[in-house]
Amino acid sequence: MINPRFEKQAFKKEVKNNVKTLFRKTIEEATPQQLFQAVSYAVKEAIIDDWIATQEQYEKDDPKMVYYMSMEFLMGRALGNNLINMTAYKEVKEALDELGIDLNAIEDQEPDPALGNGGLGRLAACFLDSLATLGYAAYGCGIRYRYGMFKQKIEDGYQVETPDNWLKDGNPFELKRPEYAKEVRFGGNIRVEYDEHGKTHFVQENYESVLAVPYDYPIVGYNNHIVNTLRIWDAEPIVDFQLDSFDRGDYHKAVEQQNLAKNIVEVLYPNDNHYAGKELRLKQQYFFVSASLQAAIAKFKKKHTDLHELPEKITIQMNDTHPTVAVAELMRILLDEENMEWNDAWEITTKTCAYTNHTIMAEALEKWPIDLFSKLLPRVYQIIQEIDRRFVIQVREMYPGNEEKVAKMQILRDGQVKMAHLAIVAGYSVNGVARLHTEILKKQELRDFYEMMPEKFNNKTNGITQRRFLMHGNPLLADWVTEKLGTKDWITDLPKMSGLKKWLDDEEALKEFMSIKYENKVRLAKYIKEHNGIEVDPTSIFDVQVKRLHEYKRQLLNILHVMYLYNQIKEHPEKSFYPRTFIFGAKASAGYIRAKQIIKLINSVADVVNNDRSINGKLKVVFIEDYRVSNAEWIFAAADVSEQISTASKEASGTGNMKFMLNGAATLGTMDGANVEIVEEVGADNAFIFGLSSDEVINYEQNGGYDSRQIYNSDPELKRVVDQLVDGTYAQGDTEMYRDLYNSLLMPQGNNQADVYFILKDFRSYAEAQEKVEAAYRDKDRWAKMVLLNTASCGKFSSDRTIQEYVDDIWKLDKETISEEIYE
Ligand SMILES: *Cc1c(COP(=O)(O)O)cnc(C)c1O
């Protein structure tokens, strides 16, 4: 049943009233931003009914809850998604139409809450959507960054970062909860005290502290009245900065606390798959973990007296190692604040915390210098020392005389705190995010841990939510799917999409499917015209690579291939070439210089190619500025080809690949991450696979790399492309602009081998796969079947499936339902 507040007359009245009370305006006078606010507050009213009902139900049933701890939640816009999940999108759209308001334009006023970098943060957002939809009690726990992911501008082809002040107009969906604020302490020293029973107590002195203040965001389940909570923490000084603290001689302390609070939540680090080792980052981690745990324990204690029961009511999932300090902080709370004994506290902690591994790349592994760590978190560090001491004893018991094992597995080693080791030792579950990735963890990167504790290791292949990435992003296709299946079941049961297979031989259905793709390409072409000033032809092949810019993701391979195609077209104008539009979207971490050079190169190639009249528009290159969830939804809907071309073994899963598949694009990719499982579902004939296997890559790596010069010297067409990096073709005569990229492909730098991402090695195989793409696309009937089959085969890749697996194998949560009677 739909909330009566969405009944048309009532909703219109509410919107009018909100415009009046918030802005003292009429609908006609209000700005689009003000209308967004007024509509959002009206929607929030309805959500709050369900939010309260859900929390009352949880209060009554006391179900086991998951606390999903993540430094990042890449939520995307809330308004449209909330309306979809409340099943009120169409009603509200009509009501607003009657007021002369265009819902799409209103949605476009909402800033994207970009509290994440890429896949890891978006995964957390999809998981929250699925948890609420499946009826599981969950809290997302994170940080309310004042500035989210920077906004990307392209100026003269270069990425320029500007601050993302996403809260400047306020956020209608958030709820400040000052009554749940918690103190978080940093630094100082630990004094040991003994009480009258001879028991030891550890007292932190001379610390600095901040007040963690939670803001709650509703997470609306689909059509089930369940509303969970994303709780993100803001930092405030403990004592408000007051002039009279001057008189009390506490001026400096007041200023320091003010600054500490301001700095902690100031900004999201824009690194994707890369560890920077900044002290402020560790402060952020401890800040939100400590506050979240304190709140979780306080909530538990409202209903329970015996903390030994904690693992039956709470489970903590750590999204990568970023929140891993949670295991030591939970120990600290149990030991120091709840006065428990070590063995009891350890038993509880190791039944409560679980860890998700997201990468095997060395540069992404978190290893904090011990001196930094122990100064910032002195008591937590002591506890890690004791965890480490006991673990080393265990290793020695199991592998007597094998100090090499100890060296490889110790938590504290080489002057560092190794967060992954801590997470594995203290976690009751260690999961990878796609089958191949989990196998690599077990056989290579975490082999010693796997051999010692195989029962902890498991796989949970990632997924995405079809509510956002089909219903909201591609309404034309969503409606068509419902019509063809004769049911909406797929919205909460994605494997039902396989029912579309019965239309594979229906010419009319295939035509409809492709004309929806065409409409979506027209929609994206308009966006590109508006934002880039470039005309693209919606009948050309839309070949898309959108994801964070990283060398392992190999945008460089893609653009080198574009340069190669351009040479081919120029040299053989007589040869037929199916028009292609190469679309890129990618942010580079602000300090990742080579990634930024690649962005500049893509834009330079775009400049040359798009302005060469001699090629008759056969080739276009577009770099979409500021890739983010809101424009991603449109891009997936419009794609023909999904570029998933990472160096095999480097992409743990990928989720962009799944969003493309859902929207009817064919995968052009390596056998990496979840691509392997995508090909398994759709069949090898319906994807374009190329390149080295992960085994081959790992084998080369273990034998010192490969000789890229040999390929360069034996393939004149490829050599020409590589040379064009340094002959000025794409740099108005400047031969140095792309020298570093050229060197990265050919020159051994120091002890490292050249082309460590195997770009030249995979180039020919990639180019051949691209020829197959063209041939397949020319055969309209074959192509239509292929991409429909992709949509029909995407059932496995719903985050609903992923979450159900986490629940069954790891979390063991109870399913909740809310009665329809809440509106009576
Ligand atoms: C899905 C998504 C990602 C992750 O893409 P990958 O191709 O898996 O790296 C990154 N950013 C946004 C905005 C997304 O929606």
Side-chain angles (χ1 to χ4, degrees):
M1 182 188 158
I2 173 171
N3 188 313
R5 290 184 201 274
F6 289 122
E7 187 273 316
K8 260 193 207 166
Q9 291 312 318
F11 191 78
K12 279 158 65 179
K13 199 170 152 205
E14 183 69 17
V15 171
K16 276 190 202 161
N17 196 49
N18 284 349
V19 173
K20 182 176 134 199
T21 54
L22 288 169
F23 307 111
R24 211 196 61 189
K25 283 191 178 169
T26 63
I27 299 272
E28 292 68 33
E29 292 164 341
T31 66
Q33 172 61 216
Q34 290 171 333
L35 292 174
F36 158 70
Q37 302 262 345
V39 171
S40 295
Y41 277 106
V43 174
K44 187 188 192 177
E45 284 257 357
I47 292 173
I48 296 239
D49 295 332
D50 288 16
W51 208 356
I52 291 170
T54 302
Q55 300 312 315
E56 278 174 0
Q57 193 68 41
Y58 291 175
E59 195 63 32
K60 197 166 125 234
D61 298 346
D62 192 28
K64 186 173 179 184
M65 295 198 176
V66 61
Y67 287 81
Y68 195 82
M69 303 243 184
S70 181
M71 286 289 277
E72 306 187 11
F73 287 91
L74 188 49
M75 299 301 288
R77 290 172 175 161
L79 175 58
N81 203 251
N82 286 338
L83 286 173
I84 280 178
N85 283 8
M86 303 284 283
T87 64
Y89 195 91
K90 277 175 184 156
E91 284 75 1
V92 164
K93 193 171 172 49
E94 284 169 21
L96 293 179
D97 272 340
E98 289 173 19
L99 292 173
I101 300 171
D102 173 8
L103 176 56
N104 290 337
I106 294 305
E107 283 188 57
D108 210 33
Q109 287 296 314
E110 181 176 356
D112 260 56
L115 308 186
N117 274 283
L120 174 144
R122 185 54 232 176
L123 184 75
C126 284
F127 279 4
L128 294 184
D129 182 82
S130 287
L131 278 160
T133 295
L134 294 175
Y136 295 113
Y139 273 97
C141 305
I143 296 173
R144 183 173 176 270
Y145 301 103
R146 293 287 167 78
Y147 294 90
M149 191 60 203
F150 63 78
K151 290 203 169 301
Q152 180 193 57
K153 292 244 153 59
I154 301 297
E155 289 177 10
D156 189 26
Y158 292 98
Q159 167 175 298
V160 175
E161 303 92 22
T162 66
D164 168 32
N165 190 3
W166 68 293
L167 288 165
K168 84 173 161 345
D169 298 308
N171 189 320
F173 290 105
E174 72 180 13
L175 207 62
K176 183 174 181 176
R177 314 298 297 278
E179 65 273 33
Y180 297 117
K182 305 285 176 222
E183 184 185 358
V184 179
R185 299 174 175 182
F186 299 97
N189 55 282
I190 306 301
R191 185 165 49 80
V192 183
E193 270 180 6
Y194 301 92
D195 66 19
E196 63 270 29
H197 313 291
K199 193 170 163 24
T200 321
H201 294 273
F202 298 88
V203 184
Q204 192 172 358
E205 299 179 324
N206 303 312
Y207 54 83
E208 291 182 292
S209 63
V210 297
L211 196 64
V213 182
Y215 285 71
D216 286 354
Y217 286 69
I219 305 294
V220 179
Y222 180 78
N223 194 25
N224 63 358
H225 307 295
I226 288 198
V227 180
N228 282 333
T229 304
L230 167 62
R231 173 163 282 183
I232 52 180
W233 298 87
D234 186 24
E236 291 181 11
I238 290 277
V239 189
D240 247 334
F241 185 78
Q242 290 160 350
L243 272 182
D244 65 352
S245 65
F246 202 12
D247 305 328
R248 286 194 252 116
D250 238 0
Y251 185 77
H252 285 287
K253 191 160 179 123
V255 173
E256 274 167 21
Q257 290 201 349
Q258 183 89 19
N259 287 338
L260 178 62
K262 188 174 176 310
N263 290 338
I264 282 183
V265 296
E266 189 70 359
V267 69
L268 165 73
Y269 280 95
N271 295 336
D272 191 63
N273 271 305
H274 189 86
Y275 164 71
K278 292 281 190 291
E279 184 190 33
L280 182 58
R281 170 83 172 182
L282 182 58
K283 275 188 191 164
Q284 291 182 333
Q285 295 181 349
Y286 183 68
F287 167 76
F288 94 93
V289 162
S290 176
S292 303
L293 283 176
Q294 290 181 55
I297 300 279
K299 190 176 173 70
F300 173 85
K301 284 170 74 178
K302 277 212 252 168
K303 274 212 155 21
H304 304 271
T305 49
D306 185 0
L307 277 158
H308 293 90
E309 289 166 13
L310 193 74
E312 283 142 53
K313 289 293 161 192
I314 282 180
T315 194
I316 292 165
Q317 190 66 37
M318 302 182 290
N319 196 21
D320 209 320
T321 55
H322 316 149
T324 292
V325 70
V327 304
E329 175 66 2
L330 181 54
M331 286 295 288
R332 186 193 67 76
I333 294 171
L334 296 175
L335 294 169
D336 295 359
E337 308 202 352
E338 303 296 338
N339 289 308
M340 294 186 97
E341 298 298 328
W342 181 278
N343 287 339
D344 282 7
W346 183 245
E347 164 113 3
I348 292 166
T349 299
T350 53
K351 283 181 174 168
T352 303
C353 298
Y355 160 58
T356 302
N357 176 287
H358 282 273
T359 180
I360 57 167
M361 291 198 304
E363 65 266 32
L365 294 182
E366 290 192 296
K367 297 168 182 172
W368 294 103
I370 282 180
D371 53 347
L372 181 158
F373 194 102
S374 59
K375 265 186 207 129
L376 188 68
L377 307 173
R379 179 59 185 145
V380 163
Y381 178 68
Q382 285 183 339
I383 290 167
I384 293 174
Q385 279 182 310
E386 181 61 13
I387 294 172
D388 187 51
R389 190 185 70 79
R390 290 170 182 244
F391 176 61
V392 168
I393 291 171
Q394 247 186 304
V395 176
R396 289 188 176 133
E397 267 170 20
M398 198 149 168
Y399 305 100
N402 191 344
E403 284 306 301
E404 207 187 313
K405 281 274 181 198
V406 177
K408 282 199 285 186
M409 298 169 78
Q410 227 185 329
I411 298 165
L412 300 174
R413 191 85 190 187
D414 314 322
Q416 294 169 321
V417 188
K418 301 187 177 180
M419 299 308 273
H421 296 193
L422 178 60
I424 297 164
V425 170
Y428 69 92
S429 162
V430 177
N431 77 280
V433 289
R435 193 207 300 143
L436 175 71
H437 167 238
T438 303
E439 288 308 307
I440 294 173
L441 288 182
K442 294 199 286 193
K443 290 204 193 95
Q444 314 271 341
E445 310 300 317
L446 301 180
R447 183 173 170 170
D448 296 303
F449 289 100
Y450 175 62
E451 282 172 1
M452 192 171 167
M453 34 192 128
E455 71 288 348
K456 288 187 183 183
F457 285 74
N458 65 94
N459 175 244
K460 295 289 166 281
T461 299
N462 284 165
I464 55 157
T465 169
Q466 64 268 32
R467 271 80 63 187
R468 181 176 292 271
F469 290 108
L470 196 61
M471 280 190 90
H472 188 257
N474 194 346
L476 294 176
L477 186 55
D479 287 345
W480 184 86
V481 167
T482 298
E483 183 208 310
K484 286 293 176 269
L485 293 178
T487 152
K488 291 186 167 185
D489 289 358
W490 62 272
I491 297 169
T492 53
D493 186 8
L494 201 61
K496 287 265 157 57
M497 295 291 256
S498 66
L500 293 173
K501 288 179 189 170
K502 83 167 194 228
W503 300 95
L504 281 171
D505 292 313
D506 184 308
E507 257 179 59
E508 196 55 36
L510 291 177
K511 245 172 74 186
E512 288 166 9
F513 190 80
M514 292 315 291
S515 80
I516 288 168
K517 180 61 77 179
Y518 181 78
E519 289 302 317
N520 286 320
K521 288 165 81 172
V522 169
R523 180 175 74 164
L524 185 62
K526 269 193 200 143
Y527 181 94
I528 290 169
K529 177 74 186 156
E530 267 171 42
H531 290 79
N532 298 61
I534 300 171
E535 297 269 3
V536 301
D537 176 1
T539 66
S540 67
I541 302 171
F542 277 20
D543 181 316
V544 185
Q545 188 174 19
V546 288
K547 50 182 75 250
R548 285 303 293 264
L549 204 309
H550 209 297
E551 286 167 277
Y552 84 81
K553 291 176 183 280
R554 298 202 295 191
Q555 283 92 353
L556 183 55
L557 172 59
N558 187 340
I559 197 66
L560 288 172
H561 177 255
V562 174
M563 290 157 63
Y564 163 81
L565 288 180
Y566 180 57
N567 291 342
Q568 294 285 310
I569 295 168
K570 298 278 281 184
E571 260 171 41
H572 308 286
E574 74 291 350
K575 267 214 221 155
S576 88
F577 178 86
Y578 202 98
R580 231 197 284 167
T581 303
F582 287 94
I583 297 169
F584 293 84
K587 290 181 186 176
S589 174
Y592 191 172
I593 290 168
R594 192 170 288 163
K596 290 174 143 184
Q597 291 168 348
I598 294 168
I599 290 176
K600 172 64 178 169
L601 176 63
I602 293 167
N603 283 304
S604 298
V605 173
D607 255 357
V608 171
V609 168
N610 297 345
N611 295 310
D612 184 342
R613 309 274 290 268
S614 77
I615 62 167
N616 291 322
K618 282 179 187 167
L619 205 53
K620 286 276 168 78
V621 180
V622 176
F623 189 97
I624 294 181
E625 205 173 63
D626 203 37
Y627 176 57
R628 60 192 188 279
V629 176
S630 58
N631 58 21
E633 293 177 26
W634 287 30
I635 294 168
F636 298 127
D640 295 309
V641 178
S642 161
E643 297 256 8
Q644 307 300 337
I645 61 176
S646 55
T647 310
S649 80
K650 304 293 179 198
E651 188 76 272
S653 166
T655 49
N657 46 6
M658 303 168 186
K659 301 167 198 166
F660 281 106
M661 184 193 199
L662 172 67
N663 281 276
T667 301
L668 166 58
T670 50
M671 276 302 208
D672 200 16
N675 297 351
V676 176
E677 291 162 73
I678 285 176
V679 173
E680 184 172 288
E681 293 299 307
V682 76
D685 294 346
N686 299 297
F688 302 90
I689 298 303
F690 72 95
L692 295 175
S693 68
S694 59
D695 284 341
E696 288 169 326
V697 167
I698 290 167
N699 204 32
Y700 276 118
E701 285 175 343
Q702 289 174 345
N703 293 287
Y706 85 104
D707 184 4
S708 62
R709 285 246 166 220
Q710 198 201 322
I711 291 178
Y712 170 83
N713 286 322
S714 63
D715 185 337
E717 289 170 336
L718 176 55
K719 178 173 187 300
R720 180 167 172 224
V721 170
V722 174
D723 288 344
Q724 283 172 335
L725 291 172
V726 290
D727 72 1
T729 305
Y730 295 101
Q732 291 149 340
D734 181 349
T735 59
E736 299 313 301
M737 184 176 281
Y738 300 115
R739 178 73 60 183
D740 173 68
L741 291 178
Y742 174 90
N743 286 345
S744 77
L745 294 171
L746 293 173
M747 298 286 197
Q749 293 171 331
N751 296 324
N752 293 334
Q753 289 289 315
D755 194 16
V756 296
Y757 295 103
F758 301 90
I759 287 172
L760 301 191
K761 186 84 183 156
D762 275 348
F763 184 87
R764 273 294 153 191
S765 170
Y766 178 60
E768 280 165 25
Q770 281 285 27
E771 282 175 23
K772 289 183 188 150
V773 169
E774 177 172 331
Y777 198 87
R778 281 176 187 280
D779 183 345
K780 290 283 165 221
D781 195 54
R782 178 178 165 208
W783 186 268
K785 276 186 189 165
M786 190 188 301
V787 290
L788 174 55
L789 194 58
N790 267 274
T791 297
S793 308
C794 72
K796 176 175 178 184
F797 302 105
S798 171
S799 45
D800 298 343
R801 186 269 313 151
T802 314
I803 284 298
Q804 194 57 51
E805 289 180 5
Y806 273 94
V807 168
D808 292 342
D809 304 342
I810 307 178
W811 300 335
K812 317 280 184 195
L813 307 180
D814 314 301
K815 213 175 176 87
E816 289 289 283
T817 52
I818 306 291
S819 146
E820 294 273 345
E821 285 159 32
I822 52 175
Y823 303 133
E824 283 163 14

